[in-house]
Amino acid sequence: MRLSAMGDVAMTIPVLRAFVKQHPTTKITVLSKPFLKPLFADIKNVNFYAADVTKEHKGFFGLLKLYKELKLLNIDAVADLHNVLRSKIVRTFFKLSIKNVSFIDKGRTEKKALTSTKNKVFKQLKTTHERYADVFRNLGFQLDLSNPEFPQQLQLTQEIIKITGAKTEKWIGIAPFAQYNSKMYPLDLMEQVISELSKKENLKVLLFGGGKKEVDFLDKIANNYINTINVAGKIKFGVELNLISNLDCMLSMDSGNAHFSAMFGVPTITIWGITHPFTGFAPFNQPLENALLPDLEKYPNIPCSIYGNKVCEGYEDVMRTISPKDVVQKLINTIK
């Protein structure tokens, strides 16, 4: 199995949980980057194999070495959930050794029609979770995602409690950043959201992010408002997942943090800019009403991008049509 960005990898978790429940005698080896191992830590019958694509497994001969290592695991079938050059090379090696191979159909034609500014076909596309499930179905496995079971809330570690304090109130996580600015709620509006939430009784706001600039910004915000704590840059990824499992609600952009909370069954509110849940990247098992959208009458070309890397002219400020008041109210109603 070859996987990509953190959000893409997190979206596989509910699929794998469903798979191992429905096929308890089948073992899965997940192949991905080393730092993503904590995502799979508590899933039965799932082993993790680290691919070091920057050194040991870099380039064609590195991938050949990787294939030879994997071959020793006596793998019967290959599910390529990424379908890019590297994964194509690895799965081809397996195909040449007469292994059963299946790969994801990303639905590029449908996505092009959905994001087109002319003759747009505005409809819900198959979710990425179902596309992942199809890969396993094509290998001959029945797989039903309609009745998910989520893991139990993880026990808070002392490392977390030293930062957050004991959990005696509702916890709302806020992850204000995304890969592209077009997918980020304007930070001045987000600060208004945090300001209002910080005034609420029996409520604590926990801020998530990564990278020095993000950490510095979140530290500044946390210092300005009561009942607000920045956890970014203070704990490792695996510990952060523990904390996320204990949230009462997560507010995220169309980004990886939405998928981290959703994989634990945590109510997840997402804010969307020029992308849209119809593209199939909404967090798992979250109702559509949990997606806060811009004014689609004013901006009818939304979605004008699948990943947020292409912005229609004049669509730079679409998120400003989503009011902080509405965001706060949605969060309060959710934790009630």
Side-chain angles (χ1 to χ4, degrees), residues 9 62 71 160 165 183 205 324:
V9 181
K71 192 177 179 181
I160 293 173
K183 300 203 311 183
V205 177

Side-chain angles (χ1 to χ4, degrees), residues 9 22 26 35 53 76 90 98-100 109 128 138 142 153 162 165 221 240 244 256 261 267 280 288 290 311 331:
V9 181
Q22 295 166 39
T26 302
F35 76 97
V53 295
D76 298 302
V90 174
I98 320 178
K99 297 294 182 183
N100 195 5
T109 300
T128 300
N138 292 336
Q142 291 186 346
Q153 205 173 65
K162 284 180 181 178
I221 293 294
E240 186 175 294
I244 288 174
S261 55
L288 185 59
N290 280 8
V311 183
L331 291 168

Side-chain angles (χ1 to χ4, degrees), residues 8-201:
D8 294 338
V9 181
M11 281 189 283
T12 70
I13 303 302
V15 181
L16 294 179
R17 289 192 186 281
F19 184 93
V20 298
K21 181 187 175 186
Q22 295 166 39
H23 302 280
T25 62
T26 302
K27 292 185 178 180
I28 291 179
T29 297
V30 169
L31 176 66
S32 195
K33 295 176 181 177
F35 76 97
L36 294 170
K37 185 177 181 178
L39 286 169
F40 306 90
D42 65 337
I43 310 178
K44 292 181 180 179
N45 291 344
V46 172
N47 298 316
F48 186 87
Y49 199 95
D52 184 2
V53 295
T54 60
K55 294 180 181 178
E56 190 176 358
H57 303 130
K58 184 178 181 179
F60 178 84
F61 290 104
L63 294 175
L64 178 60
K65 182 178 186 294
L66 177 60
Y67 159 71
K68 290 178 178 178
E69 294 170 8
L70 294 171
K71 192 177 179 181
L72 298 176
L73 303 179
N74 297 317
I75 290 169
D76 298 302
V78 175
D80 180 0
L81 304 184
H82 194 11
N83 198 13
V84 296
L85 182 59
R86 284 193 191 116
S87 63
K88 289 177 182 178
I89 292 172
V90 174
R91 80 174 190 234
T92 299
F93 289 143
F94 278 102
K95 189 73 174 177
L96 291 173
S97 62
I98 320 178
K99 297 294 182 183
N100 195 5
V101 173
S102 177
F103 55 89
I104 187 171
D105 174 6
K106 295 185 177 180
R108 288 190 173 93
T109 300
E110 308 141 71
K111 288 175 179 175
K112 185 176 181 180
L114 178 61
T115 56
S116 175
T117 57
K118 296 180 180 179
N119 302 316
K120 179 186 289 290
V121 182
F122 187 67
K123 66 177 184 179
Q124 176 69 60
L125 302 186
K126 180 181 289 189
T127 68
T128 300
H129 304 94
E130 284 293 339
R131 293 186 187 277
Y132 288 154
D134 282 344
V135 179
F136 292 101
R137 292 170 185 142
N138 292 336
L139 291 172
F141 296 97
Q142 291 186 346
L143 187 52
D144 182 3
L145 304 183
S146 63
N147 189 29
E149 288 186 6
F150 296 99
Q152 290 186 339
Q153 205 173 65
L154 301 174
Q155 184 174 353
L156 287 170
T157 65
Q158 286 302 311
E159 182 181 0
I160 293 173
I161 293 172
K162 284 180 181 178
I163 298 170
T164 62
K167 191 170 192 287
T168 59
E169 63 279 278
K170 296 285 187 179
W171 284 2
I172 292 180
I174 297 183
F177 298 101
Q179 183 177 3
Y180 300 106
N181 288 338
S182 63
K183 300 203 311 183
M184 280 174 48
Y185 194 52
L187 293 177
D188 62 310
L189 299 186
M190 183 59 80
E191 186 167 356
Q192 292 181 40
V193 170
I194 295 168
S195 174
E196 287 303 310
L197 290 174
S198 71
K199 301 172 186 175
K200 305 292 183 182
E201 291 185 358

